[in-house]
Amino acid sequence: MLVHLNIASESEREDPREFEELVLSAGGDPVAFVMGARVAPHPRTFVGSGKLEEIREQVHAECAEIVMFNHALSPSQERNLERELQCRVLDRTGLILDIFAQRARTHEGKLQVELAQLQHMSTRLVRGWTHLERQKGGIGLRGPGETQLETDRRLLRVRLKSITARLEKVRKQREQGRRSRTRAEIPTVSLVGYTNAGKSTLFNRITESTVYVADQLFATLDPTLRRVELENVGPVVLADTVGFIAHLPHKLVEAFKATLEETLNADLLLHVVDAATEDRGRNIDQVQDVLAEIGAEEIPQLQVFNKIDVLEQSPRLERNADGRPERVWLSAATGEGTELLLQAIAELVGQDMVSEELYLDPKEGGLRAALYSLGAVEAEDYGDDGVAHLSVRLPRADWNRLMKKGPEPLF
């Protein structure tokens, strides 16, 4: 059973339709949707006594096994509601955590989800964490006068500390990989956007990968990186990341810090927007809020309006007053407009490119070979005197590195 209240004191209200999608994504089967309005939440049960009675009657009538609230409940409100309704009660944060737990595929993803779950449930701890004693034998650990609840809390702290240490190790490994990419001066482009906007479909379209795709919220949890060759730019690393959602629980942002750092360290963000949804503007604002929370609001962005096949529109590339690509309209499902996106990415990450005409005599074969290995040679011909005429285009960093070696080329 789903419960949604319009709270007058809330500046930003949750979306009931999105809540139903979340429940379906979690594998739930909604049997009833109770809605209402209040000036402010009831401190004890969130809903008033009349609404509580209505929910109780509906639970019995529909034989509902769980009641889900489209709001963040305090631990005491959750316990009081479970006592009154005689069934499990879950709030919005718990629901999102459950979806994340189902979707996590990699070792890192599972650790991040477990960390967020333990942080969330630690405030709701009453009893029942003794299964964790298998991590570190229970007999002999309990101090004099230590209650079962205190033992559970201590075991929980040990587990939290263990997971945090392992995630820190993952973060350092990711940082090492990023440093090597930085040394090689390979630009990183990160896909961000509201959940179910089509990021993974677009990722698969560009990289010819087979990342898991589904028409459901939070299909992607684990970041995937692929190398893409762009014309006139060279290699670019494309990162597919977890989707954002309205009022993303802060515990999740903290737990997924290692994953979100792929976004934080990107040279360009592709902000994928579901152009077909009527909540387009609100979703864009929510993504910007999360980017600001992780400190990524200053990174250059290119908006990608996806699903134009649903709107029956043509692909197009929009530029700002300076001629800089600002927005691309495309369909990741059909591939329409993908070439416009690649063109825009090439312009934005390949701005500092050098185009030169070089004349190299035969003894400068090493420089010629280096230019070919970088894929920088666009055209080549030879004069009667054996001097090679090359038209080259390459990143300025590669150009400067080559110019430091050996003799100067003949311009």
Side-chain angles (χ1 to χ4, degrees), residues 2 7 26 60 149-150 179 194 232 245 250 268 286 326 397:
L2 315 185
I7 306 294
H60 290 306
L149 183 58
E150 286 166 341
R179 277 201 303 270
Y194 210 74
N232 297 331
I245 195 167
H250 188 72
L268 175 68
Q286 294 293 342
E326 192 174 47

Side-chain angles (χ1 to χ4, degrees), residues 143-404:
E146 187 174 40
T147 65
Q148 180 70 59
L149 183 58
E150 286 166 341
T151 305
D152 289 345
R153 280 186 177 137
R154 179 170 46 73
L155 291 167
L156 182 65
R157 284 196 300 271
V158 169
R159 183 66 180 152
L160 278 168
K161 191 174 178 182
S162 166
I163 294 173
T164 305
R166 285 156 80 181
L167 280 173
E168 182 61 24
K169 186 178 176 184
V170 169
R171 193 191 66 76
K172 286 177 180 172
Q173 288 169 344
R174 285 193 177 281
E175 182 60 37
Q176 196 173 7
R178 276 193 292 270
R179 277 201 303 270
S180 62
R181 291 202 300 271
T182 304
R183 279 197 299 272
E185 286 163 337
I186 299 175
T188 303
V189 178
S190 184
L191 289 162
V192 298
Y194 210 74
T195 180
N196 207 27
K199 294 183 295 299
S200 294
T201 306
L202 182 60
F203 182 85
N204 286 342
R205 175 70 61 181
I206 296 173
T207 62
E208 299 177 2
S209 300
T210 53
V211 167
Y212 177 69
V213 171
D215 184 18
Q216 58 188 21
L217 304 182
F218 299 117
T220 303
L221 275 196
D222 308 304
T224 311
L225 280 73
R226 292 287 185 276
R227 183 174 166 136
V228 182
E229 292 288 332
L230 290 184
E231 193 177 347
N232 297 331
V233 174
V236 169
V237 171
L238 193 66
D240 186 20
T241 59
V242 62
F244 302 151
I245 195 167
H247 311 131
L248 188 68
H250 188 72
K251 294 182 186 72
L252 280 178
V253 176
E254 281 295 308
F256 279 74
K257 195 158 273 181
T259 300
L260 294 170
E261 276 179 1
E262 292 298 346
T263 299
L264 196 55
N265 291 277
D267 298 286
L268 175 68
L269 300 181
L270 297 187
H271 181 172
V272 183
V273 180
D274 181 353
T277 180
E278 47 192 70
D279 294 326
R280 189 165 76 191
R282 170 180 165 273
N283 293 354
I284 291 172
D285 292 340
Q286 294 293 342
V287 171
Q288 297 296 355
D289 288 345
V290 178
L291 289 174
E293 188 173 348
I294 64 173
E297 71 272 28
E298 297 299 322
I299 298 171
Q301 280 188 38
L302 174 67
Q303 285 189 334
V304 181
F305 279 69
N306 188 24
K307 305 187 184 181
I308 60 167
D309 50 313
V310 180
L311 298 174
E312 297 182 356
Q313 290 187 11
S314 301
R316 63 185 185 274
L317 170 59
E318 296 176 2
R319 299 175 183 273
N320 62 14
D322 301 324
R324 184 179 183 275
E326 192 174 47
R327 194 173 293 117
V328 179
W329 296 74
L330 54 72
S331 168
T334 65
E336 282 184 290
T338 312
E339 69 288 344
L340 291 175
L341 175 62
L342 294 176
Q343 177 192 328
I345 295 172
E347 284 186 43
L348 293 170
V349 301
Q351 286 176 330
D352 199 16
M353 300 291 286
V354 174
S355 295
E356 291 288 354
E357 301 292 319
L358 304 184
Y359 294 88
L360 305 179
D361 61 31
K363 67 181 179 184
E364 292 172 316
L367 179 56
R368 177 180 171 277
L371 288 164
Y372 266 100
S373 68
L374 291 168
V377 180
E378 294 183 322
E380 179 186 29
D381 58 50
Y382 285 88
D384 295 336
D385 54 359
V387 172
H389 171 215
L390 283 74
S391 299
V392 298
R393 179 179 166 84
L394 70 168
R396 185 170 296 281
D398 288 340
W399 171 260
N400 292 340
R401 192 162 55 241
L402 285 175
M403 291 306 100
K404 288 176 185 174

